Amino acid sequence: MKQLALIVLAIAAFACTEKQVRTISPEADTVMDRLQQAAGDNQFFFGQEDYPFYGYSWEYEEGRGDVKEVCGSHPAVLGCDLGHIELGDDKNLDGVPFDVMRRAIKDHYMAGGIVTISWHIRNPVTASNAWDTSDNTVVASVLEGGSHHEMFLGWLEKAALFMESLILEDGTKIPVIFRPWHEHTGSWFWWGRKICSPEEYVSLWKMTVDYMKNRGLDNLIMAYSPNYGGLTEQVYMERYPGDDYVDILGLDAYGDGPEFVEVLRNELTMVSRLGKQHNKPIALTECGMGGLGNPQWFTQIILKAAEGIPITYLLVWRNAPEYKMPDHIFAPYPGHASVDDFIDFYQDPRTLFLND
Ligand code: BMA
């Protein structure tokens, strides 16, 4: 009897693990292979958030892009953000129409590029933005059994519907590196370190991934992206949702100067070690220097920090139009002081752009 019980338990445990394993689509697999291959060749892809939508002095002009106007190629990675999709809005939190975003994602993928999507999702309890950390019960309230669970499933559905619309004419689902709940080792978003417990964070992540998986969204490659600074392995892994729920180990890092290079090198080295242990590619899922005041940031800061470390891609943040947000740029535009340095970065054999 006891033996039978053990066998039943073993089968149940096996069934449970089986159920948890995510498989990704062949196209998503190809992206993973390409990332690994680049890192193996001591190369990485360069990306920028919102690059086709606007730049320092323009908005919504088909074919334009600050980076392309500086070096001749668009970035290899296009970053987009879903913030405000949860409200049913037709534009995201930075004013990008979701229709325009969908088209740009298809064009970018068809041109051989890689797509990543983050989600500055609003606070479902206070109805304020993602940065509202005033209530530390929010994560618990969206989990199963919580007061805002049903509402939150509606928000996940809106994001899933957008993801489902990312298909080609022949029905191929465009692979997307999905990066929700980012920078959670900091405490500036409602899912941050001081706002929820590790268990709550992990449940939020798993609920999100399971929801997408159950809708058949096997084109999502999940990227985990703690924030730079004060990271030990323990802090990095404290809220890790598990190997079945994460495909890329990331790091978000903003800064400048020798100390930034040193700390970033140390933390990237640690992430690289974890990547090897967990058999996951690693990436600088967001990085940059706000305002790009250092004209040699690309070759002297970020290339130096990542030298010899097998990052697969890096994504700098958006170049907001100057009249909307002065000094909110992360890549050069024609005439900017860092143009020459950026061209050196572009020509460096380690960097891969859309042309590559
Ligand atoms: C931030 C800034 C904000 C923006 C947000 C989401 O870092 O760029 O202006 O709304 O990202 O893109």
Side-chain angles (χ1 to χ4, degrees):
M1 197 57 200
K2 206 166 154 199
Q3 248 176 353
L4 183 70
L6 275 178
I7 292 170
V8 170
L9 264 179
I11 293 174
F14 181 70
C16 268
T17 20
E18 274 295 274
K19 208 178 123 227
Q20 277 172 15
V21 174
R22 283 167 52 240
T23 47
I24 55 172
S25 66
E27 292 76 18
D29 248 335
T30 302
V31 171
M32 290 292 282
D33 288 348
R34 192 64 192 89
L35 290 174
Q36 300 272 31
Q37 187 197 335
D41 294 343
N42 191 26
Q43 291 184 312
F44 62 84
F45 296 97
F46 171 78
Q48 189 182 21
E49 184 77 2
D50 282 359
Y51 83 77
F53 308 131
Y54 49 77
Y56 180 69
S57 60
W58 58 277
E59 282 188 282
Y60 305 102
E61 292 181 39
E62 197 84 27
R64 289 197 70 175
D66 280 353
V67 162
K68 184 177 180 186
E69 286 165 27
V70 164
C71 72
S73 173
H74 283 309
V77 181
L78 163 62
C80 294
D81 196 276
L82 288 186
H84 288 192
I85 197 125
E86 64 278 6
L87 303 178
D89 285 5
D90 53 10
K91 288 181 180 163
N92 86 348
L93 77 167
D94 300 316
V96 180
F98 287 111
D99 281 344
V100 173
M101 192 186 289
R102 183 181 297 111
R103 214 177 50 237
I105 287 173
K106 286 184 194 168
D107 290 348
H108 183 77
Y109 180 67
M110 290 304 288
I114 296 170
V115 178
T116 180
I117 294 185
S118 53
W119 194 4
H120 286 80
I121 182 173
R122 289 175 72 84
N123 183 315
V125 172
T126 65
S128 182
N129 60 33
W131 292 267
D132 180 0
T133 56
S134 59
D135 180 339
N136 61 10
T137 65
V138 180
V139 174
S141 81
V142 300
L143 299 176
E144 214 176 318
S147 56
H148 289 67
H149 181 63
E150 288 307 315
M151 168 199 186
F152 193 72
L153 289 182
W155 284 16
L156 287 179
E157 185 186 18
K158 292 207 173 72
L161 286 169
F162 181 79
M163 297 294 196
E164 284 163 13
S165 76
L166 301 178
I167 45 169
L168 304 180
E169 311 294 296
D170 66 359
T172 305
K173 295 178 229 170
I174 298 174
V176 169
I177 300 174
F178 186 33
R179 195 173 64 86
W181 318 126
H182 63 302
E183 297 172 13
H184 63 286
T185 53
S187 298
W188 43 87
F189 295 126
W190 57 261
W191 54 88
R193 193 174 180 201
K194 290 193 186 134
I195 337 293
C196 64
S197 70
E199 295 72 29
E200 286 165 352
Y201 180 83
V202 168
S203 300
L204 176 66
W205 184 285
K206 288 187 170 177
M207 177 172 78
T208 307
V209 175
D210 285 337
Y211 183 88
M212 299 292 167
K213 186 187 82 174
N214 292 339
R215 289 186 70 114
L217 284 161
D218 58 359
N219 51 326
L220 304 185
I221 296 166
M222 299 303 304
Y224 175 71
S225 53
N227 198 64
Y228 150 94
L231 288 182
T232 58
E233 277 194 23
Q234 192 270 331
V235 174
Y236 189 94
M237 296 305 281
E238 185 190 44
R239 291 156 192 248
Y240 184 64
D243 284 348
D244 288 344
Y245 283 87
V246 172
D247 303 301
I248 294 176
L249 298 187
L251 185 64
D252 284 15
Y254 288 90
D256 181 37
E259 197 193 319
F260 176 71
V261 173
E262 193 191 322
V263 176
L264 183 52
R265 273 197 76 71
N266 289 340
E267 297 195 352
L268 272 180
T269 304
M270 177 199 78
V271 177
S272 165
R273 200 161 54 234
L274 290 168
K276 286 200 186 86
Q277 275 167 24
H278 294 261
N279 195 23
K280 311 278 179 199
I282 66 165
L284 266 169
T285 35
E286 269 186 46
C287 66
M289 174 192 186
L292 199 52
N294 176 351
Q296 293 192 307
W297 190 84
F298 281 93
T299 63
Q300 300 308 308
I301 302 295
I302 208 67
L303 259 190
K304 290 263 148 67
E307 196 161 355
I309 302 173
I311 59 165
T312 57
Y313 75 90
L314 67 78
L315 179 93
V316 297
W317 208 239
R318 60 203 195 97
N319 274 14
E322 214 244 337
Y323 79 95
K324 279 191 171 165
M325 273 180 99
D327 239 20
H328 199 64
I329 63 140
F330 295 85
Y333 49 84
H336 187 269
S338 73
V339 163
D340 289 346
D341 183 67
F342 192 81
I343 292 172
D344 288 345
F345 174 82
Y346 169 70
Q347 285 171 344
D348 192 289
R350 284 167 290 181
T351 61
L352 296 167
F353 282 65
L354 194 60
N355 281 354
D356 299 306

